[in-house]
Coordinates of all heavy atoms in Angstrom, one line a residue:
A209 N 10.9 2.7 -15.6 CA 9.7 3.5 -15.6 C 9.9 5.0 -15.9 O 9.1 5.6 -16.6 CB 8.9 3.3 -14.3
L210 N 11.0 5.5 -15.3 CA 11.2 6.9 -15.5 C 11.5 7.2 -17.0 O 11.0 8.2 -17.6 CB 12.4 7.4 -14.7 CG 12.8 8.9 -14.8 CD1 11.6 9.7 -14.2 CD2 14.1 9.2 -14.0
I211 N 12.3 6.4 -17.7 CA 12.6 6.6 -19.1 C 11.3 6.5 -19.9 O 11.0 7.3 -20.8 CB 13.6 5.6 -19.6 CG1 15.0 5.8 -18.9 CG2 13.8 5.7 -21.1 CD1 16.1 4.9 -19.3
K212 N 10.4 5.5 -19.6 CA 9.2 5.4 -20.4 C 8.3 6.6 -20.2 O 7.6 7.0 -21.1 CB 8.4 4.1 -19.9 CG 9.1 2.8 -20.4 CD 8.2 1.6 -20.2 CE 8.2 1.1 -18.7 NZ 7.6 -0.2 -18.6
A213 N 8.3 7.2 -19.0 CA 7.5 8.4 -18.7 C 8.0 9.5 -19.6 O 7.2 10.3 -20.1 CB 7.6 8.7 -17.2
Y214 N 9.3 9.7 -19.7 CA 9.9 10.8 -20.5 C 9.5 10.5 -22.0 O 9.1 11.5 -22.7 CB 11.4 10.8 -20.4 CG 11.9 11.6 -19.2 CD1 12.5 11.0 -18.2 CD2 11.7 13.0 -19.1 CE1 13.0 11.6 -17.1 CE2 12.1 13.7 -18.0 CZ 12.8 13.0 -17.0 OH 13.2 13.7 -15.9
L215 N 9.5 9.3 -22.4 CA 9.2 9.0 -23.8 C 7.7 9.3 -24.1 O 7.4 9.9 -25.2 CB 9.5 7.5 -24.1 CG 10.9 7.1 -24.0 CD1 11.0 5.6 -24.4 CD2 11.9 7.9 -24.9
R216 N 6.9 9.1 -23.2 CA 5.4 9.4 -23.4 C 5.2 10.9 -23.5 O 4.2 11.3 -24.1 CB 4.6 8.8 -22.2 CG 4.4 7.3 -22.3 CD 3.3 6.9 -21.3 NE 3.7 7.1 -19.9 CZ 4.3 6.1 -19.2 NH1 4.6 5.0 -19.7 NH2 4.6 6.4 -17.9
L217 N 6.1 11.7 -22.9 CA 6.0 13.1 -23.0 C 6.7 13.7 -24.2 O 6.8 14.9 -24.4 CB 6.6 13.8 -21.7 CG 5.7 13.7 -20.5 CD1 6.5 14.3 -19.3 CD2 4.4 14.5 -20.7
G218 N 7.2 12.8 -25.1 CA 7.9 13.2 -26.3 C 9.4 13.4 -26.1 O 10.1 14.0 -27.0
G219 N 10.0 12.8 -25.1 CA 11.4 12.8 -24.9 C 12.2 12.0 -25.9 O 11.6 11.1 -26.6
F220 N 13.5 12.2 -26.0 CA 14.3 11.4 -26.9 C 15.7 11.3 -26.2 O 15.9 11.8 -25.1 CB 14.5 12.1 -28.3 CG 14.3 13.6 -28.3 CD1 15.3 14.4 -27.8 CD2 13.2 14.1 -28.8 CE1 15.2 15.8 -27.9 CE2 13.1 15.5 -28.9 CZ 14.1 16.3 -28.4
V221 N 16.6 10.6 -26.9 CA 17.9 10.3 -26.2 C 19.0 10.7 -27.1 O 18.9 10.8 -28.3 CB 18.0 8.7 -25.9 CG1 17.0 8.3 -24.9 CG2 18.0 7.9 -27.2
G222 N 20.2 10.9 -26.5 CA 21.4 11.2 -27.2 C 22.0 10.0 -27.8 O 21.5 8.9 -27.7
D223 N 23.1 10.2 -28.5 CA 23.8 9.1 -29.2 C 24.8 8.4 -28.3 O 25.7 9.0 -27.8 CB 24.6 9.7 -30.4 CG 25.3 8.7 -31.2 OD1 25.1 7.5 -31.0 OD2 26.2 9.1 -32.0
G224 N 24.5 7.1 -28.0 CA 25.5 6.4 -27.2 C 25.1 6.3 -25.8 O 24.5 7.3 -25.2

Side-chain angles (χ1 to χ4, degrees):
L210 183 63
I211 295 179
K212 286 191 284 190
Y214 278 113
L215 298 180
R216 284 194 293 270
L217 285 174
F220 30 72
V221 299
D223 179 13

